Amino acid sequence: MTNRTDALQELLEDPRFIAWVTGNADDLEDYWNNWAADNLMRRETLDQARSLVKAIEGKPIPVSDTHIKRSVERALQEAKRQEIVQPPVIIRPLYQQWWAVAASVLLVIGLGWLAFTIQTPRSIYDQKVAQVNHTGRLIIEVRNDTRPIQHVQLPDGSSVLLQKNSRISFPQQFRPDKREVYLTGEAFFEVMKNPAQPFLVYADELVTKVLGTSFGIKAYANDPAITVVVKTGKVSVFTQSDRQFTHLDSSRTLTGLVLSPNEQVTYERKESRLTRVLVEKPTLLNIPIEKQLFIYQETPIATVFADLEKAYDVNIDFDADVMAQCSITATLGDDPLIQKLTWICKVLEASYELKDGRIIVSGKSCQ
Protein backbone atom coordinates (compact mmCIF):
# COMPACT_ATOMS: atom_id res chain seq x y z
CA MET A 1 0.00 0.00 0.00
CA THR A 2 1.74 3.17 -1.20
CA ASN A 3 -0.74 5.76 0.11
CA ARG A 4 -3.96 6.20 2.05
CA THR A 5 -6.25 5.92 -0.99
CA ASP A 6 -4.72 2.61 -2.11
CA ALA A 7 -4.92 1.28 1.45
CA LEU A 8 -8.56 2.29 1.69
CA GLN A 9 -9.38 0.60 -1.62
CA GLU A 10 -7.65 -2.64 -0.60
CA LEU A 11 -9.57 -2.79 2.66
CA LEU A 12 -12.91 -2.21 0.95
CA GLU A 13 -12.08 -4.93 -1.56
CA ASP A 14 -11.11 -7.47 1.11
CA PRO A 15 -14.03 -9.85 1.92
CA ARG A 16 -12.44 -10.65 5.29
CA PHE A 17 -12.52 -6.98 6.27
CA ILE A 18 -16.15 -6.58 5.20
CA ALA A 19 -17.14 -9.72 7.09
CA TRP A 20 -15.39 -8.47 10.23
CA VAL A 21 -16.97 -5.00 10.10
CA THR A 22 -20.45 -6.39 9.51
CA GLY A 23 -20.20 -8.71 12.51
CA ASN A 24 -19.84 -11.94 10.56
CA ALA A 25 -16.23 -12.76 11.50
CA ASP A 26 -15.56 -11.99 15.15
CA ASP A 27 -12.58 -14.34 15.04
CA LEU A 28 -10.75 -11.76 12.89
CA GLU A 29 -10.79 -9.10 15.63
CA ASP A 30 -7.19 -9.72 16.70
CA TYR A 31 -6.00 -9.99 13.10
CA TRP A 32 -7.23 -6.53 12.08
CA ASN A 33 -6.18 -4.88 15.35
CA ASN A 34 -2.67 -6.31 14.97
CA TRP A 35 -2.61 -5.30 11.29
CA ALA A 36 -3.05 -1.65 12.27
CA ALA A 37 -1.39 -1.61 15.70
CA ASP A 38 2.05 -0.21 14.87
CA ASN A 39 1.28 1.89 11.81
CA LEU A 40 -0.54 5.23 12.18
CA MET A 41 -1.64 5.38 8.54
CA ARG A 42 -3.01 1.82 8.68
CA ARG A 43 -4.88 2.56 11.91
CA GLU A 44 -6.46 5.75 10.55
CA THR A 45 -7.29 4.11 7.21
CA LEU A 46 -8.84 1.09 8.94
CA ASP A 47 -11.01 3.43 11.02
CA GLN A 48 -12.06 5.32 7.91
CA ALA A 49 -12.90 2.18 5.95
CA ARG A 50 -14.89 0.76 8.87
CA SER A 51 -16.84 4.00 9.21
CA LEU A 52 -17.58 4.03 5.48
CA VAL A 53 -19.03 0.52 5.67
CA LYS A 54 -21.08 1.39 8.74
CA ALA A 55 -22.34 4.62 7.21
CA ILE A 56 -24.15 2.89 4.36
CA GLU A 57 -25.88 0.30 6.52
CA GLY A 58 -29.36 -0.42 5.33
CA LYS A 59 -29.29 1.99 2.37
CA PRO A 60 -30.41 0.73 -1.09
CA ILE A 61 -28.00 1.56 -3.90
CA PRO A 62 -29.54 0.53 -7.24
CA VAL A 63 -26.84 0.94 -9.88
CA SER A 64 -25.64 -0.93 -12.93
CA ASP A 65 -22.33 -2.78 -13.19
CA THR A 66 -21.12 -0.36 -15.87
CA HIS A 67 -21.99 2.64 -13.74
CA ILE A 68 -20.24 1.10 -10.77
CA LYS A 69 -17.03 0.45 -12.69
CA ARG A 70 -16.91 3.95 -14.12
CA SER A 71 -17.77 5.52 -10.76
CA VAL A 72 -14.99 3.61 -9.05
CA GLU A 73 -12.41 4.66 -11.62
CA ARG A 74 -13.43 8.32 -11.53
CA ALA A 75 -13.76 8.45 -7.76
CA LEU A 76 -10.41 6.81 -7.04
CA GLN A 77 -8.63 9.01 -9.57
CA GLU A 78 -10.10 12.08 -7.89
CA ALA A 79 -9.32 10.75 -4.43
CA LYS A 80 -5.68 10.13 -5.36
CA ARG A 81 -5.43 13.63 -6.83
CA GLN A 82 -6.79 15.25 -3.69
CA GLU A 83 -5.20 12.87 -1.19
CA ILE A 84 -4.06 14.51 2.04
CA VAL A 85 -2.89 13.10 5.35
CA GLN A 86 -5.69 13.55 7.90
CA PRO A 87 -6.13 12.95 11.64
CA PRO A 88 -8.72 10.45 12.91
CA VAL A 89 -11.33 9.05 10.55
CA ILE A 90 -13.72 11.64 9.11
CA ILE A 91 -17.31 10.60 8.46
CA ARG A 92 -18.47 12.77 5.59
CA PRO A 93 -22.08 13.42 4.53
CA LEU A 94 -23.43 10.68 2.27
CA TYR A 95 -23.57 12.85 -0.81
CA GLN A 96 -19.86 13.67 -0.78
CA GLN A 97 -17.11 12.00 -2.77
CA TRP A 98 -15.83 9.44 -0.25
CA TRP A 99 -19.28 7.91 0.06
CA ALA A 100 -19.37 7.47 -3.70
CA VAL A 101 -16.01 5.71 -3.51
CA ALA A 102 -17.07 3.45 -0.67
CA ALA A 103 -20.47 2.52 -2.06
CA SER A 104 -19.07 1.83 -5.50
CA VAL A 105 -16.13 -0.28 -4.35
CA LEU A 106 -18.25 -2.28 -1.92
CA LEU A 107 -20.70 -3.08 -4.69
CA VAL A 108 -17.94 -4.01 -7.13
CA ILE A 109 -16.61 -6.68 -4.79
CA GLY A 110 -19.91 -8.48 -4.89
CA LEU A 111 -21.94 -7.28 -1.91
CA GLY A 112 -24.90 -6.83 -4.23
CA TRP A 113 -25.57 -4.50 -7.12
CA LEU A 114 -29.13 -3.83 -6.00
CA ALA A 115 -28.56 -2.99 -2.30
CA PHE A 116 -26.24 -3.28 0.65
CA THR A 117 -28.39 -4.07 3.68
CA ILE A 118 -27.26 -5.10 7.14
CA GLN A 119 -29.88 -6.32 9.60
CA THR A 120 -27.81 -5.94 12.78
CA PRO A 121 -29.52 -3.49 15.18
CA ARG A 122 -27.68 -0.20 15.53
CA SER A 123 -26.58 1.08 18.92
CA ILE A 124 -27.83 4.37 20.35
CA TYR A 125 -24.38 5.81 19.72
CA ASP A 126 -24.43 4.80 16.03
CA GLN A 127 -27.94 6.17 15.64
CA LYS A 128 -27.01 9.54 17.13
CA VAL A 129 -23.89 9.86 14.97
CA ALA A 130 -25.88 8.91 11.85
CA GLN A 131 -28.47 11.59 12.66
CA VAL A 132 -25.80 14.26 12.87
CA ASN A 133 -24.13 12.95 9.73
CA HIS A 134 -27.38 13.25 7.77
CA THR A 135 -27.54 16.98 8.58
CA GLY A 136 -24.50 17.48 6.38
CA ARG A 137 -22.07 18.30 9.19
CA LEU A 138 -18.56 16.85 8.98
CA ILE A 139 -18.10 14.32 11.81
CA ILE A 140 -14.80 12.96 13.12
CA GLU A 141 -14.73 9.59 14.89
CA VAL A 142 -11.85 8.33 17.01
CA ARG A 143 -11.82 4.77 18.26
CA ASN A 144 -9.32 3.16 20.58
CA ASP A 145 -9.07 -0.58 19.99
CA THR A 146 -5.57 -1.31 21.26
CA ARG A 147 -4.06 1.26 23.62
CA PRO A 148 -4.83 1.49 27.38
CA ILE A 149 -5.66 5.18 26.90
CA GLN A 150 -5.54 7.53 23.93
CA HIS A 151 -5.41 11.32 24.13
CA VAL A 152 -7.85 13.10 21.82
CA GLN A 153 -7.80 16.86 21.35
CA LEU A 154 -11.20 18.33 20.48
CA PRO A 155 -11.70 21.34 18.16
CA ASP A 156 -12.00 23.75 21.12
CA GLY A 157 -8.82 22.49 22.77
CA SER A 158 -10.56 20.25 25.32
CA SER A 159 -8.83 16.97 26.20
CA VAL A 160 -10.35 13.50 26.13
CA LEU A 161 -8.60 10.39 27.41
CA LEU A 162 -10.31 7.58 25.55
CA GLN A 163 -10.12 4.14 27.12
CA LYS A 164 -9.52 0.92 25.20
CA ASN A 165 -12.54 -0.45 23.28
CA SER A 166 -14.19 2.98 23.25
CA ARG A 167 -15.30 5.40 20.53
CA ILE A 168 -15.98 9.11 20.44
CA SER A 169 -17.43 11.28 17.65
CA PHE A 170 -17.57 15.05 17.33
CA PRO A 171 -18.02 17.66 14.60
CA GLN A 172 -14.96 19.07 12.89
CA GLN A 173 -16.15 22.45 14.15
CA PHE A 174 -18.45 22.98 17.11
CA ARG A 175 -21.65 25.01 16.79
CA PRO A 176 -21.50 28.57 18.20
CA ASP A 177 -24.15 27.82 20.86
CA LYS A 178 -22.87 24.46 22.15
CA ARG A 179 -20.21 21.77 21.89
CA GLU A 180 -21.58 18.25 21.31
CA VAL A 181 -19.69 14.95 21.45
CA TYR A 182 -20.92 11.36 21.34
CA LEU A 183 -19.37 8.55 23.39
CA THR A 184 -19.66 4.83 23.74
CA GLY A 185 -17.28 3.22 26.22
CA GLU A 186 -15.13 5.01 28.79
CA ALA A 187 -13.45 8.41 28.72
CA PHE A 188 -12.11 11.14 30.97
CA PHE A 189 -12.78 14.74 29.95
CA GLU A 190 -11.02 18.03 30.69
CA VAL A 191 -13.24 20.67 29.17
CA MET A 192 -12.09 24.12 28.09
CA LYS A 193 -14.07 26.68 30.11
CA ASN A 194 -16.68 28.60 28.09
CA PRO A 195 -20.01 29.38 29.85
CA ALA A 196 -21.42 30.82 26.63
CA GLN A 197 -20.92 27.49 24.81
CA PRO A 198 -22.03 24.53 26.99
CA PHE A 199 -20.28 21.19 26.44
CA LEU A 200 -22.53 18.12 26.15
CA VAL A 201 -21.56 14.44 26.08
CA TYR A 202 -24.23 12.09 24.71
CA ALA A 203 -23.41 8.66 26.15
CA ASP A 204 -26.24 6.37 25.04
CA GLU A 205 -29.29 7.23 27.15
CA LEU A 206 -27.50 9.75 29.37
CA VAL A 207 -26.43 13.33 28.66
CA THR A 208 -23.69 15.06 30.67
CA LYS A 209 -23.53 18.84 30.42
CA VAL A 210 -20.71 21.09 31.65
CA LEU A 211 -19.40 24.61 31.20
CA GLY A 212 -15.77 23.71 31.88
CA THR A 213 -14.59 21.01 34.29
CA SER A 214 -13.12 17.49 34.54
CA PHE A 215 -15.08 14.27 34.85
CA GLY A 216 -15.20 10.62 33.79
CA ILE A 217 -17.92 8.62 32.02
CA LYS A 218 -18.38 4.87 31.72
CA ALA A 219 -21.05 3.98 29.17
CA TYR A 220 -20.74 0.66 27.35
CA ALA A 221 -23.74 -0.31 25.25
CA ASN A 222 -24.18 -3.73 26.89
CA ASP A 223 -23.56 -2.73 30.50
CA PRO A 224 -26.56 -2.52 32.86
CA ALA A 225 -25.66 1.03 33.93
CA ILE A 226 -24.00 4.29 32.88
CA THR A 227 -21.81 6.08 35.42
CA VAL A 228 -20.51 9.66 35.64
CA VAL A 229 -18.06 10.86 38.30
CA VAL A 230 -16.87 14.45 38.84
CA LYS A 231 -13.27 15.35 39.64
CA THR A 232 -13.51 19.15 39.55
CA GLY A 233 -16.21 21.75 38.89
CA LYS A 234 -19.88 20.96 38.40
CA VAL A 235 -21.77 18.94 35.81
CA SER A 236 -25.43 18.26 35.19
CA VAL A 237 -26.84 14.96 33.97
CA PHE A 238 -30.20 14.05 32.50
CA THR A 239 -31.64 11.33 30.31
CA GLN A 240 -32.58 11.68 26.67
CA SER A 241 -36.06 10.46 27.60
CA ASP A 242 -36.59 13.25 30.15
CA ARG A 243 -39.81 15.19 29.52
CA GLN A 244 -37.84 18.41 29.81
CA PHE A 245 -35.06 17.21 27.52
CA THR A 246 -35.38 20.07 25.01
CA HIS A 247 -35.02 22.69 27.74
CA LEU A 248 -32.25 20.82 29.56
CA ASP A 249 -30.35 20.28 26.32
CA SER A 250 -30.56 23.86 25.02
CA SER A 251 -30.17 25.85 28.24
CA ARG A 252 -26.86 27.61 28.86
CA THR A 253 -27.11 26.91 32.59
CA LEU A 254 -26.56 23.68 34.48
CA THR A 255 -30.00 22.22 35.12
CA GLY A 256 -31.25 18.73 35.84
CA LEU A 257 -29.32 16.66 38.39
CA VAL A 258 -26.25 18.76 39.24
CA LEU A 259 -23.12 17.03 40.55
CA SER A 260 -20.20 18.57 42.47
CA PRO A 261 -16.62 17.27 42.91
CA ASN A 262 -16.37 13.73 44.31
CA GLU A 263 -20.00 13.00 43.44
CA GLN A 264 -21.04 10.13 41.21
CA VAL A 265 -24.29 9.36 39.44
CA THR A 266 -25.38 5.99 38.10
CA TYR A 267 -28.14 5.47 35.57
CA GLU A 268 -29.70 2.03 35.93
CA ARG A 269 -30.96 1.11 32.49
CA LYS A 270 -33.47 -1.51 33.60
CA GLU A 271 -35.19 0.76 36.13
CA SER A 272 -34.54 4.02 34.19
CA ARG A 273 -33.32 5.50 37.47
CA LEU A 274 -30.60 8.00 38.39
CA THR A 275 -28.80 7.54 41.72
CA ARG A 276 -26.32 10.06 43.14
CA VAL A 277 -23.68 9.16 45.75
CA LEU A 278 -20.64 10.81 47.33
CA VAL A 279 -17.33 9.06 46.63
CA GLU A 280 -14.12 9.55 48.59
CA LYS A 281 -11.93 9.37 45.50
CA PRO A 282 -13.29 10.00 41.98
CA THR A 283 -11.44 7.14 40.28
CA LEU A 284 -14.09 5.65 38.02
CA LEU A 285 -11.67 4.73 35.23
CA ASN A 286 -8.61 4.02 37.40
CA ILE A 287 -6.19 6.06 35.30
CA PRO A 288 -3.37 8.34 36.54
CA ILE A 289 -5.03 11.64 35.64
CA GLU A 290 -7.92 11.01 38.02
CA LYS A 291 -5.49 11.18 40.95
CA GLN A 292 -3.13 13.87 39.60
CA LEU A 293 -3.61 17.44 40.92
CA PHE A 294 -0.82 19.07 38.86
CA ILE A 295 0.34 21.29 41.73
CA TYR A 296 4.00 22.30 41.50
CA GLN A 297 6.37 24.23 43.79
CA GLU A 298 9.74 24.97 42.19
CA THR A 299 9.44 21.61 40.45
CA PRO A 300 12.02 20.71 37.76
CA ILE A 301 10.48 20.93 34.32
CA ALA A 302 11.61 17.36 33.54
CA THR A 303 9.37 16.14 36.38
CA VAL A 304 6.43 18.22 35.13
CA PHE A 305 6.78 16.87 31.60
CA ALA A 306 7.03 13.31 32.98
CA ASP A 307 3.76 13.85 34.85
CA LEU A 308 2.04 15.08 31.69
CA GLU A 309 3.37 12.15 29.65
CA LYS A 310 2.04 9.68 32.19
CA ALA A 311 -1.32 11.39 32.64
CA TYR A 312 -2.11 11.89 28.96
CA ASP A 313 -0.15 9.01 27.43
CA VAL A 314 1.78 11.38 25.15
CA ASN A 315 5.44 11.89 24.26
CA ILE A 316 7.06 15.24 25.03
CA ASP A 317 10.43 15.95 23.42
CA PHE A 318 12.65 18.68 24.88
CA ASP A 319 16.35 19.35 25.36
CA ALA A 320 16.92 18.07 28.90
CA ASP A 321 20.45 19.49 29.02
CA VAL A 322 19.48 22.99 27.94
CA MET A 323 16.44 23.12 30.25
CA ALA A 324 18.04 21.25 33.16
CA GLN A 325 17.80 24.26 35.50
CA CYS A 326 14.22 25.16 34.56
CA SER A 327 11.45 24.75 37.12
CA ILE A 328 7.92 26.04 37.67
CA THR A 329 5.66 26.97 40.55
CA ALA A 330 2.05 26.66 39.42
CA THR A 331 -1.27 24.90 39.84
CA LEU A 332 -2.23 23.57 36.43
CA GLY A 333 -5.43 21.98 37.72
CA ASP A 334 -8.12 20.57 35.44
CA ASP A 335 -7.33 22.55 32.30
CA PRO A 336 -6.81 20.53 29.11
CA LEU A 337 -3.34 19.44 28.05
CA ILE A 338 -3.03 22.14 25.40
CA GLN A 339 -3.76 24.83 28.01
CA LYS A 340 -1.25 23.36 30.46
CA LEU A 341 1.44 23.41 27.78
CA THR A 342 0.59 26.99 26.85
CA TRP A 343 0.99 28.15 30.46
CA ILE A 344 4.23 26.22 31.00
CA CYS A 345 5.77 27.66 27.85
CA LYS A 346 4.68 31.17 28.77
CA VAL A 347 6.39 30.88 32.15
CA LEU A 348 9.58 29.46 30.64
CA GLU A 349 9.54 31.70 27.55
CA ALA A 350 9.45 28.54 25.46
CA SER A 351 7.27 27.26 22.64
CA TYR A 352 5.77 23.96 21.57
CA GLU A 353 4.44 22.28 18.45
CA LEU A 354 2.57 19.08 17.68
CA LYS A 355 4.35 16.96 15.09
CA ASP A 356 3.75 13.35 14.05
CA GLY A 357 1.86 12.61 17.25
CA ARG A 358 4.58 14.06 19.49
CA ILE A 359 4.84 17.31 21.45
CA ILE A 360 8.09 19.15 20.77
CA VAL A 361 9.07 21.86 23.25
CA SER A 362 11.72 24.39 22.30
CA GLY A 363 13.19 26.35 25.19
CA LYS A 364 16.29 28.11 26.40
CA SER A 365 18.48 27.75 29.46
CA CYS A 366 17.05 28.98 32.78
CA GLN A 367 20.41 29.66 34.43
Side-chain angles (χ1 to χ4, degrees), residues 34-63:
N34 292 334
W35 179 84
D38 299 321
N39 186 302
L40 179 60
M41 189 200 79
R42 280 189 173 188
R43 184 163 64 249
E44 293 177 352
T45 304
L46 183 142
D47 286 342
Q48 185 177 32
R50 177 163 42 192
S51 295
L52 290 170
V53 175
K54 290 290 187 182
I56 58 174
E57 287 180 2
K59 299 196 168 40
I61 313 174
V63 290

Side-chain angles (χ1 to χ4, degrees), residues 286-297:
N286 196 30
I287 55 179
I289 198 170
E290 292 181 303
K291 306 171 185 177
Q292 178 63 266
L293 298 178
F294 301 105
I295 299 175
Y296 301 105
Q297 184 70 37

Side-chain angles (χ1 to χ4, degrees), residues 307-328:
D307 285 349
L308 295 180
E309 288 183 320
K310 182 178 180 181
Y312 294 95
D313 193 30
V314 296
N315 294 309
I316 301 178
D317 293 337
F318 69 103
D319 193 321
D321 293 331
V322 171
M323 303 182 72
Q325 302 302 316
C326 295
S327 63
I328 66 168

Side-chain angles (χ1 to χ4, degrees), residues 74-119:
R74 288 196 303 268
L76 288 174
Q77 288 174 2
E78 179 66 14
K80 290 178 180 179
R81 186 181 69 82
Q82 297 181 355
E83 185 180 45
I84 60 174
V85 177
Q86 299 176 345
V89 56
I90 296 181
I91 306 176
R92 300 180 182 274
L94 294 176
Y95 53 81
Q96 292 186 2
Q97 185 68 59
W98 275 114
W99 297 128
V101 177
S104 299
V105 174
L106 285 172
L107 288 167
V108 164
I109 64 174
L111 293 181
W113 64 275
L114 288 177
F116 179 67
T117 303
I118 301 174
Q119 303 298 330

Side-chain angles (χ1 to χ4, degrees), residues 35-290:
W35 179 84
D38 299 321
N39 186 302
L40 179 60
M41 189 200 79
R42 280 189 173 188
R43 184 163 64 249
E44 293 177 352
T45 304
L46 183 142
D47 286 342
Q48 185 177 32
R50 177 163 42 192
S51 295
L52 290 170
V53 175
K54 290 290 187 182
I56 58 174
E57 287 180 2
K59 299 196 168 40
I61 313 174
V63 290
S64 68
D65 289 340
T66 300
H67 175 77
I68 292 169
K69 182 177 180 180
R70 291 175 179 174
S71 295
V72 171
E73 292 174 352
R74 288 196 303 268
L76 288 174
Q77 288 174 2
E78 179 66 14
K80 290 178 180 179
R81 186 181 69 82
Q82 297 181 355
E83 185 180 45
I84 60 174
V85 177
Q86 299 176 345
V89 56
I90 296 181
I91 306 176
R92 300 180 182 274
L94 294 176
Y95 53 81
Q96 292 186 2
Q97 185 68 59
W98 275 114
W99 297 128
V101 177
S104 299
V105 174
L106 285 172
L107 288 167
V108 164
I109 64 174
L111 293 181
W113 64 275
L114 288 177
F116 179 67
T117 303
I118 301 174
Q119 303 298 330
T120 305
R122 306 181 78 182
S123 67
I124 296 176
Y125 167 85
D126 287 327
Q127 293 176 34
K128 293 290 292 186
V129 173
Q131 289 172 10
V132 179
N133 180 52
H134 284 309
T135 67
R137 298 168 65 194
L138 195 61
I139 299 297
I140 296 173
E141 181 182 71
V142 179
R143 53 191 304 151
N144 182 7
D145 293 327
T146 57
R147 298 167 61 181
I149 58 173
Q150 179 177 344
H151 176 256
V152 180
Q153 182 179 318
L154 299 181
D156 66 335
S158 295
S159 290
V160 181
L161 291 178
L162 195 64
Q163 296 283 85
K164 186 177 179 180
N165 299 322
S166 301
R167 292 188 286 163
I168 188 170
S169 291
F170 49 91
Q172 188 179 45
Q173 182 176 358
F174 287 129
R175 291 167 44 177
D177 58 329
K178 58 182 176 180
R179 298 165 285 173
E180 299 172 299
V181 302
Y182 306 88
L183 170 72
T184 180
E186 300 177 74
F188 183 85
F189 294 81
E190 286 182 327
V191 178
M192 198 69 92
K193 295 175 177 61
N194 187 351
Q197 192 184 28
F199 185 98
L200 297 99
V201 182
Y202 299 89
D204 289 345
E205 299 95 329
L206 200 65
V207 182
T208 302
K209 183 177 184 180
V210 307
L211 304 180
T213 183
S214 61
F215 59 97
I217 299 179
K218 184 176 182 180
Y220 288 104
N222 297 323
D223 281 0
I226 302 173
T227 305
V228 178
V229 66
V230 182
K231 179 183 177 183
T232 62
K234 291 186 177 182
V235 310
S236 70
V237 295
F238 50 92
T239 64
Q240 297 196 46
S241 60
D242 194 299
R243 293 180 180 179
Q244 296 183 313
F245 172 79
T246 301
H247 168 70
L248 295 170
D249 188 70
S250 60
S251 173
R252 290 192 177 184
T253 59
L254 296 183
T255 51
L257 181 60
V258 179
L259 305 177
S260 297
N262 290 10
E263 287 191 325
Q264 174 179 299
V265 67
T266 301
Y267 174 70
E268 301 290 345
R269 284 184 161 118
K270 188 175 182 180
E271 292 83 9
S272 299
R273 181 181 62 196
L274 286 169
T275 304
R276 175 170 52 185
V277 296
L278 184 66
V279 292
E280 183 178 352
K281 296 180 180 180
T283 54
L284 174 67
L285 309 181
N286 196 30
I287 55 179
I289 198 170
E290 292 181 303

